[in-house]
């Protein structure tokens, strides 16, 4: 099964994707993480990607296409794939399906996690990530046992783009561009809408039930 989890910033798409990956062995393609890795590398495009990401805008479809292409292999697809945070606009929806078609696959489902903008800003402002292992905490809903420190011992930090100005820009990009993907998925009858405001476990069970994974 090939699926994409979408939702506004802070809707829990990363958490839900990881739960599916842990339980069912899917390959996890998280474009935000892959792009952050390139932004921190010494490649020639690192700086411009970092600037775009910090501003809250979307990285170009061309860069995204290269990132996706380099991660899609027969082995990755054989395990099933959870795309986390992609496609973010209509062009990417078509791009993903074109790339998948080369392997005889297609996007089977788009899972949409809905939360309000207010909830999104609240959650994102409280998000902290481990510098070492990348584990994600939330000061309100999922605090670390030791304040400011991950279970692995690493320091917790706020992502550079998790500041109010960038969050607002990302939310407005989301409403402008990603809502078209949701509509297209609805039209293609592959959309699964899930309320993202409840407890993590309830949302996960809801996704699993709707995908008929069990
Ligand atoms: P995320 O970790 O999903 O919140 O993504 C962080 C940032 O990475 C976004 O604000 C974009 O700048 C960039 N990004 C992630 N996924 C994509 C995508 N599919 N297309 C374009 N830019 C992306």
């Amino acid at each position: 099964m090939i699926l994409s989890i979408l939702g506004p910033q802070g809707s829990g798409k990363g958490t839900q994707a990881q739960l599916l990956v842990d339980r069912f062995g899917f390959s996890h393609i998280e474009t935000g993480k892959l792009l952050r890795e390139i932004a921190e590398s010494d490649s020639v495009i690192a700086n411009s990607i970092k600037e775009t990401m910090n501003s809250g805008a979307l990285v170009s479809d061309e860069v995204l296409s290269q990132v996706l292409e380099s991660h899609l292999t027969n082995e990755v697809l054989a395990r099933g794939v959870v795309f986390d945070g992609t496609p973010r606009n209509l062009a990417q929806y078509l791009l993903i399906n074109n790339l998948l078609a080369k392997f005889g696959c297609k996007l089977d489902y788009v899972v949409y996690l809905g939360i309000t903008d207010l909830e999104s800003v609240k959650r994102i402002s409280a998000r902290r990530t481990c510098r070492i292992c990348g584990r994600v905490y939330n000061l309100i809903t999922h605090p670390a046992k030791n304040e400011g420190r991950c279970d692995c011992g690493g320091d917790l930090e706020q992502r550079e783009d998790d500041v109010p100005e960038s969050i607002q820009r990302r939310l407005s990009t989301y409403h402008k561009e990603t809502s078209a993907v949701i509509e297209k998925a609805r039209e293609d009858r592959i959309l699964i809408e899930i309320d993202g405001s409840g407890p993590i476990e309830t949302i996960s069970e809801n996704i699993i039930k709707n995908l008929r994974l069990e």
Side-chain angles (χ1 to χ4, degrees), residues 9 13 30-33 35-36 52-54 56-61 64 84-88 92 127 159 161 170:
Q9 283 62 34
K13 51 189 186 322
E30 184 187 353
T31 46
K33 184 171 168 220
L35 290 166
R36 269 188 292 283
T52 307
M53 291 178 79
N54 285 347
L58 291 183
V59 165
S60 74
D61 293 341
L64 188 86
D84 174 350
T86 296
R88 291 271 240 273
Q92 291 182 13
R127 180 159 73 183
R159 257 171 55 179
D161 59 345
R170 280 147 70 202

Side-chain angles (χ1 to χ4, degrees), residues 10-72:
S11 57
K13 51 189 186 322
T15 305
Q16 294 300 333
Q18 192 60 55
L19 287 171
L20 288 174
V21 167
D22 292 346
R23 190 153 160 188
F24 300 103
F26 287 113
S27 304
H28 188 182
I29 299 189
E30 184 187 353
T31 46
K33 184 171 168 220
L34 297 173
L35 290 166
R36 269 188 292 283
E37 282 168 9
I38 301 175
E40 293 309 323
S41 71
D42 52 14
S43 90
V44 279
I45 51 168
N47 276 343
S48 80
I49 289 187
K50 193 170 188 163
E51 242 170 63
T52 307
M53 291 178 79
N54 285 347
S55 78
L58 291 183
V59 165
S60 74
D61 293 341
E62 193 189 339
V63 168
L64 188 86
S65 165
Q66 284 168 19
V67 169
L68 290 178
E69 208 161 357
S70 65
H71 282 84
L72 285 178

Side-chain angles (χ1 to χ4, degrees), residues 12-197:
K13 51 189 186 322
T15 305
Q16 294 300 333
Q18 192 60 55
L19 287 171
L20 288 174
V21 167
D22 292 346
R23 190 153 160 188
F24 300 103
F26 287 113
S27 304
H28 188 182
I29 299 189
E30 184 187 353
T31 46
K33 184 171 168 220
L34 297 173
L35 290 166
R36 269 188 292 283
E37 282 168 9
I38 301 175
E40 293 309 323
S41 71
D42 52 14
S43 90
V44 279
I45 51 168
N47 276 343
S48 80
I49 289 187
K50 193 170 188 163
E51 242 170 63
T52 307
M53 291 178 79
N54 285 347
S55 78
L58 291 183
V59 165
S60 74
D61 293 341
E62 193 189 339
V63 168
L64 188 86
S65 165
Q66 284 168 19
V67 169
L68 290 178
E69 208 161 357
S70 65
H71 282 84
L72 285 178
T73 62
N74 280 316
E75 279 165 319
V76 163
L77 287 160
R79 293 204 299 275
V81 177
V82 179
F83 287 104
D84 174 350
T86 296
R88 291 271 240 273
N89 59 28
L90 217 43
Q92 291 182 13
Y93 184 91
L94 303 175
L95 170 80
I96 285 194
N97 271 314
N98 283 341
L99 288 175
L100 290 173
K102 292 184 190 164
F103 295 88
C105 303
K106 65 173 176 50
L107 200 52
D108 296 307
Y109 295 105
V110 170
V111 175
Y112 171 67
L113 294 178
I115 57 166
T116 63
D117 280 7
L118 199 67
E119 182 66 16
S120 173
V121 174
K122 205 168 94 188
R123 288 189 190 181
I124 289 289
S125 307
R127 180 159 73 183
R128 298 291 181 275
T129 310
C130 174
R131 285 177 80 100
I132 310 281
C133 71
R135 189 163 169 193
V136 179
Y137 294 85
N138 186 289
L139 297 178
I140 304 156
T141 55
H142 178 41
K145 285 191 207 107
N146 300 308
E147 203 185 319
R149 199 157 289 281
C150 177
D151 289 352
C152 82
D155 282 337
L156 296 182
E157 62 180 10
Q158 192 165 24
R159 257 171 55 179
E160 279 183 56
D161 59 345
D162 280 352
V163 291
E165 201 180 301
S166 172
I167 297 172
Q168 285 302 344
R169 174 97 186 261
R170 280 147 70 202
L171 272 175
S172 99
T173 305
Y174 173 80
H175 288 303
K176 233 173 29 213
E177 310 220 24
T178 313
S179 49
V181 176
I182 309 297
E183 286 317 309
K184 175 76 174 132
R186 193 194 309 281
E187 203 181 294
D188 290 348
R189 297 179 179 275
I190 60 166
L191 180 67
I192 293 176
E193 288 182 271
I194 304 279
D195 177 3
S197 64

